[in-house]
Every structure is written in structure tokens, then in C-alpha cells.
Amino acid sequence: MDLSALQIPGVWRGDCPRPAAALASTRIEALDRALLGGWPVGALTQIVGTEAGLGFSLIIPALAACTAAGRAVALIDPPYLPYAPALASRGVDLEHLLWIRPQDAAQAQWAAEQIAHSGLFAALACWGALDGTAERRLQLAADAAQCLVFCFRTGRADGHSHAAVRLAVAPAADAQLRVEVLKCRGGRAGHGLLHRCVDLPVAA
């Protein structure tokens, strides 16, 4: 037997039950139900918005919970300047928040992978499209360190993705966000919900 294969994160040997995937509550009841318990820990979540920055409010409660526990979180190349007072008002401890502004997409992908691999961060969020190889590497890094990884992109959620969860978000009436579950590990896609929010914490 190739013992090295047993050391690869996520490999199931077949002689023991597959461990249940860890979940972190979104702190949004309807979203927790749609995702069968919450955000997948040690996996990639992709959020595709019709506008830049849309959907960030969905992950703020989880970021706040991480920082309240004394764990670090990172924002990599958000489309707008993070608005510290709004984040603090939502419970994010700014002393445990790292904001990274890379020079280009390659640096952003490298930073995301290194942060995920480090084991020092409970969660990270990055913005920008990832190709299949970059997604796979980031997924493996998240699995190895058991952290929450969120990737935001703008446009259409076309094609295959290595993400365990994929959401499509769009603005709706009365300051609400329309959320559609495109993919959920262990569950069915197609769930939709409305979340009352204003995506301002990353506004310039």
C-alpha cells in the first residue's frame, strides 16, 4: 500500500466511517437550513454576485464569531475599502482582522493559499475569479488547516467549480439580498431565500 496516499487530506481509506464534515453556523437561520447546518469548515465556498462586493454581509456574522473567539480572519483584495466602524458594529474584532491589498491577481491567489495553509487563520475571504487549478490548491489548503475559505466573484456562475458550496446573490427589493444555493455538499441545490441586509461594510 502506498502510505503516502493515506496522508493526503480528505482521502478516505474505506476501512472506517467517513468523518462528518465540520460546519460553522452562518448565524442566519434560513441560510443555515439551506446549507444543512452552515458554512463548511475546511472547504471552499464560492459566492457569485451580480455586482462587485455583493454578498459580503452573509459572512460577516461568521467572521465576527471567529474574531470573538480570538481567531484571526483575513480579507484579500476586496473591491472596496473595508469600512472599519461598520464591521466593528457588526461584532468583528478589528484587532484580529487582516486586510491585504495585493498588486495583482497572482499575488492575491498566492496570499490566499499561504494564509489558508498557515493554520493561523480561522477564515479568509478573497475576491476575484480563480481558475480550476487555483481553486483546487485553495481547497486543499483549506482542508489541511480546517479553515473557512470564501471566494467572491462577479458575473455568472458558469462551469465546474471545486467549491463545496456555491451561492448566487443579487439585490432584491426593500434592501434585501436574493440568495440561491447552486451547490451544497451533501444537499440539494435550488434552494432560494431572501436576506435583509445592506452590503455596506466594504463600501468606500
Side-chain angles (χ1 to χ4, degrees):
M1 178 183 295
D2 182 3
L3 297 180
S4 62
L6 303 181
Q7 299 171 355
I8 300 175
V11 168
W12 179 50
R13 297 183 303 174
D15 59 350
C16 58
R18 184 185 296 272
L23 298 170
S25 173
T26 67
R27 268 64 177 182
I28 301 170
E29 185 176 350
L31 188 56
D32 272 354
R33 289 198 301 268
L35 299 181
L36 305 182
W39 303 120
V41 179
L44 179 65
T45 293
Q46 184 188 76
I47 301 177
V48 185
T50 57
E51 302 172 9
L54 203 62
F56 178 57
S57 65
L58 294 175
I59 74 168
I60 292 177
L63 299 183
C66 291
T67 60
R71 301 290 308 280
V73 300
L75 305 179
I76 303 173
D77 204 22
Y80 304 110
L81 178 68
Y83 187 49
L87 290 171
S89 72
R90 296 284 299 276
V92 177
D93 186 342
L94 301 179
E95 291 188 359
H96 297 293
L97 175 66
L98 176 65
W99 170 41
I100 299 176
R101 192 172 186 178
Q103 293 182 347
D104 53 38
Q107 283 193 0
Q109 292 180 13
W110 181 87
E113 188 176 338
Q114 297 307 308
I115 287 173
H117 261 306
S118 72
L120 302 175
F121 288 78
L124 71 90
C126 60
W127 280 259
L130 300 175
D131 61 26
T133 299
E135 266 197 0
R136 180 60 176 162
R137 291 171 63 91
L138 192 53
Q139 166 62 40
L140 290 173
D143 186 25
Q146 287 297 290
C147 67
L148 294 166
V149 177
F150 303 96
C151 177
F152 292 84
R153 59 179 295 181
T154 306
R156 296 171 57 87
D158 295 329
H160 172 74
S161 173
H162 292 287
V165 166
R166 298 183 84 188
L167 304 179
V169 296
D174 300 324
Q176 295 188 102
L177 189 68
R178 187 179 304 279
V179 182
E180 181 184 359
V181 179
L182 303 176
K183 178 182 178 181
C184 178
R185 186 168 59 187
R188 293 183 303 169
H191 293 282
L193 59 112
L194 290 174
H195 171 57
R196 183 171 296 280
C197 68
V198 179
D199 274 339
L200 290 181
V202 291

